Amino acid sequence: VRRNKMLIEIKNRCAGEVVMEDGLPVSREKGHGYGCHSIESIVKCNEGHCSFDACDGLFTLRIVIPVKLD
């Protein structure tokens, strides 16, 4: 936590090409592709920001959420 913001960064190896649409990874498989939309919705509801990136076999999710200190 820095400057009242929490940063979460998750990196995962991935095989093959990751298709992105509007900054979100998409899946063409039935029953898949809801997780990243859910993450984005939760982060936005908490006035945060998230980004998804896939490059050179590495998938990265970054989340920044304001921390409310009382």
Side-chain angles (χ1 to χ4, degrees), residues 7-56:
L7 169 65
I8 300 168
E9 181 177 74
I10 300 170
K11 294 185 178 190
N12 232 3
R13 297 242 175 250
C14 58
E17 180 185 2
V18 176
V19 178
M20 305 286 275
E21 287 181 9
D22 299 323
L24 289 170
V26 294
S27 176
R28 303 287 184 229
E29 295 182 44
K30 186 177 179 178
H32 289 262
Y34 299 107
C36 292
H37 287 281
S38 296
I39 291 168
E40 181 186 47
S41 294
I42 291 166
V43 170
K44 284 183 177 182
C45 283
N46 287 282
E47 300 175 4
H49 173 76
C50 65
S51 66
F52 302 88
D53 184 46
C55 185
D56 297 328

